[in-house]
Every structure is written in structure tokens, then in C-alpha cells.
Amino acid sequence: MKRRDLLLGSGAALTLAACGSTPSVPARAQVVVVGGGYGGATAARYVRLLSDQKIDVVLVEPQESFVSCPVSNLVLSGTRTLADITSSYDALVSRHGVKWVRDSASRLDTTTKTVSLAGGASIRYDKLVVSPGVELLFDEIAGLRAAHTSGQVLQAWKAGSETLALRRQLEAMADGGVYAISVPEAPYRCPPGPYERASVVAAYFQRAKPKSKVLILDANPDVTSKPALFKKAWAELYPGMVEFRPLHKVVAVEGQRIRIEVQDDVRADVLNLLPPMRANIIAAQAGLMNAGRWCKVHWQTLESTAAKDVHVLGDAVLAAGGMPKSGHMANAHAKVAAAAIVAQLSGQPVNASPMLTNTCYSYVGDNSAIHVASVHEYVAAEDTFKPVPGSGGVSAQRNEAEAAYAAGWARNIWADTLG
Amino acid sequence: MARHASILLAGLMMACGAHAQVANLPTRSLAATCAACHGTDGRSVSGAGMVSLRGLDRTYLQAQLQAFRDGSRPATVMHQIAKGYTPEQIDQLAGYFAALPRVAP
């Protein structure tokens, strides 16, 4: 009882100190996490777990609940609902003692070590975790911002209400129509995602409107992930329905017409244009976006090379070789960062040889899936992670067992991130 | 009284955020690489289909991971993952999960 009182003492004082502004926002915390996606939520949870709940954590995330991008393509094909891919933040708070501030960060000051919130409050930190995800660069495709704002051309790459809106567009499309999805130049969030989406939309068309077509306009020279497996699935499961056009970079949209950089224009009935991506704007404003469109980190700790005591993770990071921008990888980044933060705050040596794993499942039909897996080891001499030679790989062929594993993977990673 | 003082000291150290030692951090960190698929601390969500690793026999765990690693046990994914870990890391993982209490199946 006494011990508990003492441990909570500092927290209680902080709560009182914050009462002058917004009662629910503490004035300071040992660790503040900005962003509650796969990276940020996992980081918040694992700092609590690995510190045996000794380090206090504030999570800044404006959304009411967590909506998973992985599996969201099945909402488009109609075999899952949005509720199926939505999880609560409640367990992070009630089970792990994370203080969740439902607001968004408006400014990160890495000199005064302060996070300013859109609601007006600010929080001082000892350690900051920035896991802001990607920003979609609508303005890099002429006409896209207006078309997106009007609801005519959707991305649905950030899962949520747009996922449902795109589902409605697919349902409303007449049999014999064309659904076009464009893929930006790599790197972008979820390398196999566009091809999974094309596959399961084709599965839906086959069930509901079999004269329709799926057209993939890819800015890249080939399918970015699992090319042989995806192309085999399209040829065998959806003959004549899925068309893949490499090196087709979308530069403009006018009504139902898509302009391609080199080739002829394309018309489609449902336009799903994925703009180029970069680290979210909050990272840029804080000076963390120091490697082109991405944030460079010291890989042993995922500490920014631009600011001390700031750990950047997930899709916003300049990836090391062979490392995808995936939810699984963000979860893996978060655990390495959390362990490093716990070690640093408790005066212990940081793990000299951290490891990362990744498995990306992709559905290619209602009941079949494929995967790509990798294991990455820290290489101190080069301050990077590299795939362990001989490890990793892709499915031998698409199969039903992996469709079940993909569903199980989702349930376990959601629990590992938020449970 | 001595106990009270040590408790006070622990509380102060935590308040300062320094030198609150955490046991076994590197091994827990290594084991966390299994958690996205097999659940936090090897506790798989009921019905997810991936085996719960916690509380399994150490020799059994080690043998299975080695078998995935050398290809003698066929798999969809685990043969590719196990090849990413050294025999020493496999031993460390097997020891860690074996020491955790088994969950009701």
C-alpha cells in the first residue's frame, strides 16, 4: 500500500500540476508517444511491460479507436466489416496504465522537450516516441485533392470511413465496369497492399458482377511484392479480369479520366488513386524528416539522427535494406525502441544485438493467401539492420491454410499492440 | 524500518526515472520478436490458430525450432523465420518461454 502510494506520488503531483489547463493532460511524463497506430500503441504498451510498469507513458492519439489497415481490403471485398478490424484503446489504459490523451500533437519541440497539443495543452517529456505514419501527397497528382475532397476519388489507404465509402462505390458500380487502382513509386506504406486489394476486389466482382474489370496502374517496373505469386493468382483465379500495367505513373485526374505520364489516358468507373507518400507532416515540422521524405534513425535504439531522446518508428522511418513499411514491422520497431528506452531510463546497457521480424500475409482470394517473411539483425559496424542471410522467403504457392493464419496473425498482433 | 527506507529509496529512484533495474531485458526483448504472431509472452489469443509458446517444454521448443531451422520439420512460415535465429538465440527463447506458466488451452 505504502509502496504503491510512493510510486504513484510523482504521478499524482503531475495530475495536480496540470489542473490549471486541461485536467486530463499531465504536464510531464517520462515517455510521451505521438501516434497510436501499430508502432505507437505497441511502443506505449511495451514501455509499460518491459519496465514492469515503472515508467509512466502518455499516448497522444486523437482517434476514438484503432482501425487496422491490414485486413481492411477484406472490408472492400465484403467478407469483413469495419467493426471486425476495429479495436479499442481501453486495455492500454485499464490493463497497462498508459495515460491516453485523445488529442493530436500540433508541435514537437525537441529542444525544450515539449509536445504541444491541438487542444492547447503541452506535455514535457524525458523520452519522445514519434510514430506518425505517412502523409498522402494528394497534390502530386493534378486534380486529386479536389477529387478526393469531393469524395469522387478515394484512397482508403488509411482504413476507416473511406474504406466503407470505397466499398459503397464498388457496390454501386454496374456489372461490366472498370475499377482502377494506382500504385505510387516505392517506398510506400504496405508494399503488397495494392495487389492484395486488386485480388480481393476481383474476388468480389467474380461473385457479384463478373463482367467487370480490375486495372492496376503501377508507377513501378513490376509488382513490388510477391510478383510471381500475385500474377499467378490473377491468371488462374481471375482470367481476363485483372490487368496489370507496369511503369504507368498517374499524373492527373479529370472526372473519370486518369492521365498517365507516358502512355494514353485511361477511363475507369471507380478510381482508387494512391498518391505518393512521405513521413507525416508533424515529423517534418519537428526537423525529423532528414532523409528525403523519411526520418533517419540510429537503428540500435531507433533514436532520430536529428534529435536526442526522440525515437521515430514505423512507416515514417527511412527503412533499412529489405525492410517493408508494414504494420508488423512498425510493431517490431516499437519493441526495439521500447527496450532501448527502458534500458536508457533505468541506467542499463542497451541491447547490443536487437532483432526484428516481419510477416506480411496477403489474401489473393476469399479463402486463399500468400506471405512474405523476413528476419533482420542489427549490424553495429554499419548502424543498420540487415536480413539474416538464408532466412525469410515467400509462400511456395497460395493456399487456404495461410488465409486462416492471416486471420490468426491479425488477432494476435492486435492483442500484442493493444491488448 | 529498514524496509520502509528501501521502499522510499525505490520510490525516489523511480520518480527520477533512473536506475530502477529491470530484469532480463535482452531476453524479453528477443522473445518479443515472436509476439506479433504467437502473442505477448507466448500467450496466443484463443482460436487464433498459432500455438501458445509459454509453458512448453524447453527441450521440445528447442527441438522444434531447430527442426524448422534445418528444414526437417516442414512449415508454411516458420522454416523461414527460424533460419534467422542462431542456435544460441533459439536456446535463449526456449528457456524463456519454458519458464513461463502454461495457459489453459
Side-chain angles (χ1 to χ4, degrees):
Chain A
M1 187 61 202
K2 281 261 165 27
R3 177 179 159 82
R4 186 171 162 78
D5 286 346
L6 283 165
L7 289 182
L8 292 175
S10 60
L14 300 181
T15 309
L16 286 173
C19 284
S21 49
T22 312
S24 60
V25 181
R28 61 171 300 127
Q30 284 175 287
V31 177
V32 174
V33 180
V34 172
Y38 276 94
T42 303
R45 188 170 180 270
Y46 268 84
V47 168
R48 295 293 290 166
L49 282 173
L50 294 175
S51 74
D52 298 326
Q53 318 240 323
K54 287 169 190 160
I55 294 175
D56 63 304
V57 176
V58 169
L59 172 66
V60 177
E61 169 55 52
Q63 286 205 80
E64 181 184 12
S65 47
F66 172 100
V67 184
S68 175
C69 291
V71 197
S72 68
N73 283 334
L74 298 193
V75 178
L76 297 178
S77 64
T79 61
R80 295 285 198 287
T81 66
L82 197 63
D84 291 334
I85 62 166
T86 301
S87 304
S88 164
Y89 287 108
D90 291 350
L92 283 183
V93 176
S94 62
R95 194 172 300 158
H96 300 285
V98 172
K99 174 86 181 166
W100 173 29
V101 173
R102 202 178 151 194
D103 200 343
S104 52
S106 58
R107 186 161 178 271
L108 312 176
D109 188 327
T110 59
T111 308
T112 63
K113 301 179 90 168
T114 304
V115 177
S116 301
L117 304 179
S122 60
I123 313 170
R124 293 253 298 148
Y125 62 81
D126 295 329
K127 285 281 193 180
L128 177 63
V129 175
V130 184
S131 187
V134 292
E135 186 185 353
L136 304 176
L137 300 172
F138 291 104
D139 293 327
E140 294 205 359
I141 295 176
L144 180 58
R145 184 171 291 281
H148 178 255
T149 304
S150 74
Q152 183 224 338
V153 179
L154 302 172
Q155 39 90 10
W157 211 238
K158 300 191 176 183
S161 58
E162 267 199 44
T163 312
L164 292 178
L166 183 54
R167 170 66 186 168
R168 285 193 292 270
Q169 288 190 351
L170 292 168
E171 286 177 313
M173 192 185 87
D175 191 9
V178 175
Y179 160 74
I181 178 167
S182 73
V183 188
E185 280 169 318
Y188 57 87
R189 165 179 285 183
C190 190
Y195 315 107
E196 179 192 64
R197 180 172 291 186
S199 304
V200 297
V201 167
Y204 163 63
F205 286 170
Q206 208 169 51
R207 277 184 270 123
K209 40 194 85 182
K211 289 183 287 202
S212 308
K213 296 258 186 277
V214 174
L215 179 59
I216 306 164
L217 302 167
D218 199 329
N220 300 288
D222 197 1
V223 172
T224 309
S225 175
K226 299 171 267 195
L229 288 162
F230 274 117
K231 287 178 189 171
K232 193 162 190 285
W234 297 334
E236 292 175 2
L237 297 177
Y238 318 107
M241 184 180 271
V242 178
E243 186 185 345
F244 176 71
R245 295 187 189 172
L247 292 170
H248 277 55
K249 183 179 173 183
V250 173
V251 292
V253 57
E254 294 156 14
Q256 299 305 116
R257 199 155 63 103
I258 304 166
R259 304 194 66 164
I260 317 292
E261 189 173 48
V262 177
Q263 298 85 353
D264 291 342
D265 294 357
V266 171
R267 286 189 66 86
D269 299 286
V270 175
L271 283 65
N272 182 195
L273 304 183
L274 305 181
M277 301 173 199
R278 72 171 186 201
N280 193 285
I281 187 79
I282 188 79
Q285 286 168 348
L288 303 172
M289 202 175 75
N290 57 349
R293 294 181 165 187
W294 311 105
C295 305
K296 195 162 162 44
V297 296
H298 295 296
W299 281 106
Q300 190 184 356
T301 57
L302 282 101
E303 191 168 4
S304 166
T305 60
K308 197 175 174 320
D309 294 323
V310 179
H311 300 251
V312 188
L313 39 101
D315 295 342
V317 164
L318 176 70
M323 185 184 282
K325 295 190 182 299
S326 72
H328 194 140
M329 185 52 75
N331 167 284
H333 284 175
K335 291 167 186 174
V336 171
I341 288 167
V342 170
Q344 288 168 338
L345 288 180
S346 58
Q348 290 174 261
V350 173
N351 186 359
S353 47
M355 302 283 291
L356 301 165
T357 58
N358 183 76
T359 306
C360 289
Y361 289 99
S362 302
Y363 288 87
V364 291
D366 289 335
N367 294 304
S368 62
I370 56 179
H371 80 268
V372 55
S374 53
V375 182
H376 310 251
E377 63 185 344
Y378 179 64
V379 179
E382 298 170 56
D383 186 20
T384 192
F385 274 93
K386 289 187 175 178
V388 179
S391 72
V394 302
S395 308
Q397 63 272 317
R398 67 175 183 274
N399 61 86
E400 290 188 9
E402 290 197 42
Y405 289 153
W409 168 86
R411 295 184 60 194
N412 271 332
I413 198 169
W414 294 340
D416 190 47
T417 302
L418 300 149
Chain B
M1 195 59 208
R3 177 172 154 78
H4 188 81
S6 70
I7 287 168
L8 182 63
L9 188 59
L12 285 171
M13 288 196 308
M14 276 151 208
C16 301
H19 304 293
Q21 288 288 315
V22 175
N24 215 11
L25 198 48
T27 303
R28 290 163 78 185
S29 184
L30 182 67
T33 64
C34 309
C37 296
H38 288 275
T40 305
D41 278 332
R43 190 193 303 268
S44 185
V45 172
S46 172
M50 281 76 161
V51 66
S52 283
L53 302 173
R54 58 188 293 131
L56 292 178
D57 179 72
R58 179 177 190 152
T59 311
Y60 171 80
L61 273 170
Q62 200 172 14
Q64 298 313 307
L65 285 166
Q66 282 295 352
F68 285 132
R69 191 169 182 272
D70 66 25
S72 58
R73 178 172 169 180
T76 47
V77 180
M78 270 312 296
H79 60 306
Q80 298 165 349
I81 298 289
K83 288 185 179 72
Y85 293 83
T86 64
E88 293 72 27
Q89 287 172 323
I90 284 175
D91 189 37
Q92 214 178 334
L93 290 169
Y96 178 78
F97 287 118
L100 297 174
R102 184 79 190 142
V103 285

PDB file of all heavy atoms in Angstrom, chain B residues 12 14 28 30 33 51 61 63 83 103-104:
ATOM      1  N   LEU B  12      11.854   6.989  -4.785  1.00  0.00           N
ATOM      2  CA  LEU B  12      12.580   8.181  -5.235  1.00  0.00           C
ATOM      3  C   LEU B  12      13.291   7.917  -6.554  1.00  0.00           C
ATOM      4  O   LEU B  12      13.271   8.738  -7.458  1.00  0.00           O
ATOM      5  CB  LEU B  12      13.612   8.602  -4.171  1.00  0.00           C
ATOM      6  CG  LEU B  12      13.016   9.278  -2.935  1.00  0.00           C
ATOM      7  CD1 LEU B  12      14.082   9.459  -1.871  1.00  0.00           C
ATOM      8  CD2 LEU B  12      12.390  10.623  -3.315  1.00  0.00           C
ATOM      9  N   MET B  14      12.463   5.797  -8.801  1.00  0.00           N
ATOM     10  CA  MET B  14      11.500   5.735  -9.893  1.00  0.00           C
ATOM     11  C   MET B  14      11.015   7.121 -10.290  1.00  0.00           C
ATOM     12  O   MET B  14      10.843   7.416 -11.464  1.00  0.00           O
ATOM     13  CB  MET B  14      10.312   4.873  -9.495  1.00  0.00           C
ATOM     14  CG  MET B  14      10.635   3.420  -9.751  1.00  0.00           C
ATOM     15  SD  MET B  14       9.791   2.367  -8.654  1.00  0.00           S
ATOM     16  CE  MET B  14      10.899   0.997  -8.604  1.00  0.00           C
ATOM     17  N   ARG B  28      13.830 -10.750 -22.792  1.00  0.00           N
ATOM     18  CA  ARG B  28      12.424 -10.374 -23.007  1.00  0.00           C
ATOM     19  C   ARG B  28      12.263  -9.662 -24.344  1.00  0.00           C
ATOM     20  O   ARG B  28      11.258  -9.819 -25.041  1.00  0.00           O
ATOM     21  CB  ARG B  28      11.947  -9.479 -21.855  1.00  0.00           C
ATOM     22  CG  ARG B  28      11.814 -10.248 -20.547  1.00  0.00           C
ATOM     23  CD  ARG B  28      11.752  -9.328 -19.361  1.00  0.00           C
ATOM     24  NE  ARG B  28      10.449  -8.702 -19.177  1.00  0.00           N
ATOM     25  CZ  ARG B  28      10.202  -7.783 -18.246  1.00  0.00           C
ATOM     26  NH1 ARG B  28      11.171  -7.369 -17.437  1.00  0.00           N
ATOM     27  NH2 ARG B  28       9.001  -7.270 -18.124  1.00  0.00           N
ATOM     28  N   LEU B  30      14.177 -10.135 -26.996  1.00  0.00           N
ATOM     29  CA  LEU B  30      14.296 -11.148 -28.049  1.00  0.00           C
ATOM     30  C   LEU B  30      12.976 -11.921 -28.185  1.00  0.00           C
ATOM     31  O   LEU B  30      12.483 -12.153 -29.293  1.00  0.00           O
ATOM     32  CB  LEU B  30      15.448 -12.109 -27.724  1.00  0.00           C
ATOM     33  CG  LEU B  30      15.708 -13.201 -28.770  1.00  0.00           C
ATOM     34  CD1 LEU B  30      16.222 -12.615 -30.074  1.00  0.00           C
ATOM     35  CD2 LEU B  30      16.697 -14.247 -28.236  1.00  0.00           C
ATOM     36  N   THR B  33      10.081 -10.634 -30.250  1.00  0.00           N
ATOM     37  CA  THR B  33      10.037 -10.755 -31.715  1.00  0.00           C
ATOM     38  C   THR B  33       9.091 -11.887 -32.151  1.00  0.00           C
ATOM     39  O   THR B  33       8.713 -11.960 -33.310  1.00  0.00           O
ATOM     40  CB  THR B  33      11.444 -11.005 -32.328  1.00  0.00           C
ATOM     41  OG1 THR B  33      11.954 -12.258 -31.870  1.00  0.00           O
ATOM     42  CG2 THR B  33      12.410  -9.902 -31.953  1.00  0.00           C
ATOM     43  N   VAL B  51       0.223 -21.498 -32.056  1.00  0.00           N
ATOM     44  CA  VAL B  51       0.409 -22.169 -30.775  1.00  0.00           C
ATOM     45  C   VAL B  51       0.892 -21.172 -29.708  1.00  0.00           C
ATOM     46  O   VAL B  51       1.660 -20.256 -30.001  1.00  0.00           O
ATOM     47  CB  VAL B  51       1.408 -23.345 -30.933  1.00  0.00           C
ATOM     48  CG1 VAL B  51       2.797 -22.850 -31.280  1.00  0.00           C
ATOM     49  CG2 VAL B  51       1.429 -24.210 -29.693  1.00  0.00           C
ATOM     50  N   LEU B  61      10.649 -27.256 -27.327  1.00  0.00           N
ATOM     51  CA  LEU B  61      10.697 -25.984 -28.061  1.00  0.00           C
ATOM     52  C   LEU B  61      11.983 -25.878 -28.883  1.00  0.00           C
ATOM     53  O   LEU B  61      11.960 -25.519 -30.064  1.00  0.00           O
ATOM     54  CB  LEU B  61      10.637 -24.810 -27.083  1.00  0.00           C
ATOM     55  CG  LEU B  61       9.266 -24.308 -26.661  1.00  0.00           C
ATOM     56  CD1 LEU B  61       9.415 -23.307 -25.517  1.00  0.00           C
ATOM     57  CD2 LEU B  61       8.548 -23.650 -27.838  1.00  0.00           C
ATOM     58  N   ALA B  63      13.950 -28.284 -29.880  1.00  0.00           N
ATOM     59  CA  ALA B  63      13.986 -29.280 -30.959  1.00  0.00           C
ATOM     60  C   ALA B  63      13.123 -28.833 -32.145  1.00  0.00           C
ATOM     61  O   ALA B  63      13.524 -28.982 -33.303  1.00  0.00           O
ATOM     62  CB  ALA B  63      13.516 -30.636 -30.435  1.00  0.00           C
ATOM     63  N   LYS B  83      15.318 -19.782 -39.469  1.00  0.00           N
ATOM     64  CA  LYS B  83      16.666 -19.635 -40.048  1.00  0.00           C
ATOM     65  C   LYS B  83      17.285 -18.275 -39.714  1.00  0.00           C
ATOM     66  O   LYS B  83      18.478 -18.065 -39.933  1.00  0.00           O
ATOM     67  CB  LYS B  83      16.622 -19.824 -41.574  1.00  0.00           C
ATOM     68  CG  LYS B  83      16.393 -21.266 -41.998  1.00  0.00           C
ATOM     69  CD  LYS B  83      16.489 -21.410 -43.517  1.00  0.00           C
ATOM     70  CE  LYS B  83      16.293 -22.850 -43.975  1.00  0.00           C
ATOM     71  NZ  LYS B  83      14.891 -23.328 -43.844  1.00  0.00           N
ATOM     72  N   VAL B 103      -0.678 -21.594 -20.092  1.00  0.00           N
ATOM     73  CA  VAL B 103      -2.054 -21.091 -20.009  1.00  0.00           C
ATOM     74  C   VAL B 103      -3.019 -22.242 -20.285  1.00  0.00           C
ATOM     75  O   VAL B 103      -2.672 -23.207 -20.950  1.00  0.00           O
ATOM     76  CB  VAL B 103      -2.317 -19.966 -21.035  1.00  0.00           C
ATOM     77  CG1 VAL B 103      -1.659 -18.692 -20.588  1.00  0.00           C
ATOM     78  CG2 VAL B 103      -1.835 -20.354 -22.417  1.00  0.00           C
ATOM     79  N   ALA B 104      -4.221 -22.133 -19.754  1.00  0.00           N
ATOM     80  CA  ALA B 104      -5.237 -23.146 -20.014  1.00  0.00           C
ATOM     81  C   ALA B 104      -5.500 -23.199 -21.519  1.00  0.00           C
ATOM     82  O   ALA B 104      -5.633 -22.153 -22.146  1.00  0.00           O
ATOM     83  CB  ALA B 104      -6.518 -22.809 -19.265  1.00  0.00           C
TER      84      ALA B 104
END
